[in-house]
Amino acid sequence: MLQQQLLDDLALANTHELVENVRIKYLGRKGLITNLAKETDFSKLSADEKKDFGQKLNELKNFATEKLQEAAERVAATATPVNKRLFDLTIPGSHRAFGAMHPISMVQLELEAIFEGMGFTVLDSPEADTEYSNFESLNVPADHPARDMQDTFWLTNGMVLRTHTSSNQVRALKRFGAPFRGIFPGRCFRYEAIDPSHENTFFQCEGLMVDENISVAHLIGVMKTLLGEVFKRDVKVRLRPGFFPFVEPGFELDLNCLFCEGSGCPTCKQSGWIELIPCGLVHPVVLEHGEIDAKRYSGFAFGLGLTRLAMMKYGIRDIRYFNSGDVRVLEQFAPVL
Ligand code: PHE
């Protein structure tokens, strides 16, 4: 009976530890077999009976030892070798991919920090806006080509997807009054055919500063500080006349080409300059729409191309990567750990 019980126990013992437990249960100091000898009162047994008992006990011990040995060998043969275990601590750690910020977001956050350092407020503004905000308030006449169906996404309710962040100028002036310093970064839309340098969806960062005696000198000063911080070096800029109905005078601010330092290369189309920031002094009509006294206050505005700036900063040659949703592009901006 004890034999069968031992065999049943060993059948379930599939590790060295369990086999050892079985050994202790039967052959240990207080084991079931060991106890047989202890519990027997030999004084009551005859010499023959003692001999017989001793013989049986020995057989039982040998049987148990033999079966335990077999079980130990069985376990050793089937045990998983160290290098095949579920957890192999010698395998090098696996790489975990980290998310990455979109390059436009990175440039936007950088701009926000720079402008906040110069006392500008960062304002959010609607992507779908009224015809008034996007055009009329900005002195864009009804027959201006920019209002054409060709250039603008009109919504069925008569609103537009803003074609530029200037759409927030008058709203901001009405809300905050003068003096005012703010930027409005955001997504803009134009009905354009897409190619390596044109997108129908792109980002701008509008800037607006209104105070007493604001002149072109302030505009240039702020632009140079900004570009110097973005590109981490002293930059040369120049102003060319440019026309926008909401500024007077209006300019195109060009950046001395950072790739060739002005000597001419494919990026600047051999001109030495890169057209970067349309800007100008706020047109008095716009100030009036913003309920600002145009005799007392003047201001400058600029419409920095955020997408363009990101292309320059990161050397991205094709604008279509930005909205492609291709993670292989974004992965290249993930932090290296
Ligand atoms: N809103 C103009 C554009 O998108 C740029 C601009 C902004 C020009 C502010 C002058 C002043 O083209």
Side-chain angles (χ1 to χ4, degrees), residues 226-261:
L226 163 73
L227 295 171
E229 296 244 3
V230 170
F231 292 107
K232 311 268 181 277
R233 54 172 137 157
D234 217 15
V235 294
K236 263 197 260 169
V237 298
R238 76 173 182 193
L239 288 184
R240 278 182 298 117
F243 175 74
F244 303 92
F246 36 94
V247 284
E248 181 56 39
F251 307 105
E252 291 286 356
L253 185 140
D254 295 342
L255 175 66
N256 193 237
C257 181
L258 298 171
F259 297 104
C260 65
E261 309 275 347

Side-chain angles (χ1 to χ4, degrees), residues 147-167:
R147 291 213 197 188
D148 201 308
M149 298 279 284
Q150 302 294 313
D151 300 309
T152 307
F153 287 112
W154 292 84
L155 303 180
T156 47
N157 64 1
M159 292 174 84
V160 298
L161 291 184
R162 65 168 168 206
T163 59
H164 52 186
T165 41
S166 306
S167 57

Side-chain angles (χ1 to χ4, degrees), residues 100 102-103 316 321-322 324-334:
H102 195 282
I316 297 169
Y321 285 128
F322 290 110
S324 67
D326 189 338
V327 287
R328 291 171 306 176
V329 175
L330 297 185
E331 267 167 7
Q332 297 175 47
F333 294 88

Side-chain angles (χ1 to χ4, degrees), residues 178-311:
F180 175 79
R181 264 185 249 187
I183 59 165
F184 335 129
R187 204 192 314 251
C188 303
F189 309 86
R190 283 184 203 172
Y191 190 19
E192 300 225 41
I194 298 174
D195 68 25
S197 48
H198 294 91
E199 249 291 359
N200 54 27
T201 305
F202 56 95
F203 284 76
Q204 285 191 340
C205 179
E206 192 84 1
L208 181 62
M209 178 167 180
V210 174
D211 206 335
E212 292 179 7
N213 301 318
I214 293 292
S215 70
V216 176
H218 295 103
L219 170 63
I220 295 174
V222 170
M223 294 295 95
K224 281 197 76 164
T225 308
L226 163 73
L227 295 171
E229 296 244 3
V230 170
F231 292 107
K232 311 268 181 277
R233 54 172 137 157
D234 217 15
V235 294
K236 263 197 260 169
V237 298
R238 76 173 182 193
L239 288 184
R240 278 182 298 117
F243 175 74
F244 303 92
F246 36 94
V247 284
E248 181 56 39
F251 307 105
E252 291 286 356
L253 185 140
D254 295 342
L255 175 66
N256 193 237
C257 181
L258 298 171
F259 297 104
C260 65
E261 309 275 347
S263 59
C265 70
T267 303
C268 61
K269 299 197 190 88
Q270 308 304 331
S271 73
W273 296 92
I274 291 172
E275 190 178 307
L276 198 60
I277 313 180
C279 53
L281 295 189
V282 183
H283 198 292
V285 167
V286 176
L287 291 176
E288 275 157 21
H289 286 155
E291 292 158 14
I292 305 289
D293 180 358
K295 292 202 181 67
R296 181 168 169 206
Y297 292 103
S298 55
F300 65 76
F302 59 88
L304 195 153
L306 210 61
T307 303
R308 189 90 175 266
L309 194 63
M311 289 175 83

Side-chain angles (χ1 to χ4, degrees), residues 49-66:
E49 281 172 334
K50 280 186 202 166
K51 196 176 157 203
D52 191 41
F53 181 87
Q55 221 168 26
K56 289 239 163 63
L57 191 64
N58 267 341
E59 275 171 21
L60 193 57
K61 276 187 186 166
N62 288 343
F63 175 82
T65 310
E66 192 181 308

